[in-house]
Amino acid sequence: MIRPFLFFILSIVSIKTMSQSSSRAFEWEYLPPLPDAVGFAGAYSGVSNDALIVAGGANFPKNAGPWGSAPKTWYDDIYVLESPTSTWKKAGKLPQAMGYGLSITTPNGIFCVGGANATQHFKEAFYIEWKHGQLHLTPLPPLPAPLAYTSGALIDAKVYVAGGTHAPSDTITTQQFWEFDLQKKQWNALPSLPNHGRMLAVAGAQKGTFFLFSGVKLSNNPATSQPTRTYLNDAWSFEPKSQQWKSLASLPHAVAAAPSPAFLGQNSELMIFGGDDGVNAHRVLELKEKHPGFRKEVLAYHTHTNTWRIVDSIPSADSNPKSEAAVTTPLVIWHHKVVIPTGEISPGIRSPQIKVGIPLPK
């Protein structure tokens, strides 16, 4: 759902931002942009052996948007950036053209599961690894069911996978919650998500606890035979030991499809970068290129005080207001920095930008 900001830079360039809090939380930079004129939404991304990897995803060619004549196109290319000062290289292919799955950096490689193309969702799981200048894909036990638009986080040696949809035609979101044991290489079903199913949520992890923020609920609309989207601002935590969900303080607004998982910052805070609040969701085809883009605030949830605050604002590289915040893309930690690779900057419009947030000391 995002548009590319065609801003090509050959080296890292610092940019300044105005924070909405009394002090800034990040210094912002750009990495070399992905070598694609449009960029991708729903790409898989992570770090393997100190290399940044971006794989697959989808776009509308020439950024024509969903209202144009060019159909949505899916990709299988895998790009590798070995250092912040190197150049991107096209290093291999995914098992098929796909996007909108889950990708999590683990000690064993980038754990990828699920995803979609125009006609189906996938249940396959695999590692992407970069070793000695070569790309390796290692199959893993698949999910019990196909899944896309899910969210997840790593806790110890287990990946937690929450919500999503099972097929492109789904009119409801799943409440299913899964755990994949990286050591035993097996899937286990966990207690269902509370209240209702959701997709495009933001996951997080801190000290053995799993967190789930916002997202979108799909419900069937008999009048139109099309799903109705409800943008959520609730928040939850899950304790693996007790197998219990707990309700948390609601977010100030929805942050659907914000880069996930949340960044674990200082002072026991989980930070969320931008997201879609749904305010203009019903006007996408009306606004087209005039859509204002997505939220720019960096929200921080304090896990001890159960409170929210704005700690920063995602900056613009120039006068283009849509260059600021991307959704439907993973959040990756590389060299102790927050990396937001490519993604969607307004509905249907992608960006090849690779934005970097450097945490500032408190």
Side-chain angles (χ1 to χ4, degrees):
M1 298 164 57
I2 304 177
R3 302 184 175 184
F5 169 51
L6 304 181
F7 184 67
F8 290 87
I9 306 172
L10 298 178
S11 60
I12 298 175
V13 179
S14 294
I15 53 179
K16 297 181 179 181
T17 179
M18 294 291 291
S19 174
Q20 295 189 35
S21 62
S22 57
S23 62
R24 294 167 53 205
F26 297 89
E27 187 72 41
W28 294 90
E29 298 178 338
Y30 286 112
L31 287 170
L34 207 66
D36 182 272
V38 174
F40 308 99
Y44 304 81
S45 188
V47 174
S48 175
N49 288 314
D50 207 34
L52 178 65
I53 296 175
V54 177
N59 66 25
F60 292 92
K62 298 182 180 179
N63 259 343
W67 47 84
S69 58
K72 191 172 187 176
T73 303
W74 305 76
Y75 298 87
D76 58 4
D77 297 314
I78 302 177
Y79 298 89
V80 176
L81 187 68
E82 294 187 278
S83 76
T85 56
S86 64
T87 57
W88 287 96
K89 61 177 71 175
K90 194 179 290 188
K93 300 282 188 179
L94 291 171
Q96 56 262 324
M98 59 196 296
Y100 301 98
L102 175 67
S103 53
I104 299 288
T105 297
T106 79
N108 302 325
I110 304 170
F111 174 83
C112 301
V113 66
N117 63 18
T119 60
Q120 64 179 315
H121 287 6
F122 301 103
K123 60 181 180 180
E124 284 76 12
F126 52 92
Y127 283 129
I128 299 177
E129 296 177 86
W130 183 251
K131 293 181 179 179
H132 309 297
Q134 297 292 323
L135 196 71
H136 300 269
L137 271 66
T138 304
L140 293 167
L143 266 167
L147 193 66
Y149 310 103
T150 187
S151 54
L154 176 69
I155 299 177
D156 298 325
K158 295 179 180 179
V159 175
Y160 293 82
V161 181
T165 58
H166 293 307
S169 59
D170 280 0
T171 57
I172 58 172
T173 34
T174 182
Q175 288 184 261
Q176 289 179 323
F177 186 38
W178 299 95
E179 166 195 274
F180 184 77
D181 191 312
L182 299 178
Q183 296 175 342
K184 296 179 180 179
K185 294 185 178 180
Q186 69 181 32
W187 290 97
N188 300 304
L190 297 174
S192 298
L193 305 186
N195 279 2
H196 39 247
R198 68 188 66 211
M199 66 180 191
L200 300 173
V202 178
Q206 186 196 67
K207 295 182 179 179
T209 300
F210 176 83
F211 293 84
L212 192 63
F213 305 112
S214 185
V216 172
K217 171 189 173 183
L218 293 184
S219 54
N220 187 34
N221 186 337
T224 63
S225 299
Q226 297 294 322
T228 296
R229 286 192 171 209
T230 302
Y231 284 75
L232 308 171
N233 69 337
D234 55 346
W236 301 85
S237 65
F238 177 81
E239 295 292 344
K241 291 183 179 179
S242 66
Q243 299 281 286
Q244 297 291 317
W245 285 98
K246 177 183 177 182
S247 178
L248 307 175
S250 294
L251 289 81
H253 50 76
V255 294
S260 181
F263 172 63
L264 180 57
Q266 303 177 51
N267 304 321
S268 300
E269 287 185 312
L270 288 166
M271 299 185 182
I272 300 174
F273 296 77
D276 186 0
D277 59 13
V279 170
N280 290 303
H282 64 293
R283 302 181 63 203
V284 170
L285 295 181
E286 171 194 345
L287 292 171
K288 298 181 181 179
E289 292 88 352
K290 296 181 181 180
H291 192 285
F294 303 110
R295 305 288 307 209
K296 305 172 185 66
E297 300 92 339
V298 179
L299 293 178
Y301 173 72
H302 198 291
T303 58
H304 294 334
T305 62
N306 191 31
T307 56
W308 291 90
R309 68 187 182 110
I310 297 173
V311 296
D312 213 327
S313 180
I314 302 169
S316 174
D318 67 358
S319 59
N320 181 358
K322 295 179 183 178
S323 68
E324 295 154 335
V327 301
T328 57
T329 186
L331 184 145
V332 178
I333 305 302
W334 193 37
H335 295 174
H336 309 290
K337 301 175 183 179
V338 173
V339 178
I340 302 176
T342 186
E344 186 172 9
I345 56 172
S346 68
I349 307 302
R350 277 64 168 162
S351 170
Q353 290 184 100
I354 312 292
K355 187 159 285 188
V356 177
I358 306 170
L360 295 174
K362 296 295 182 182

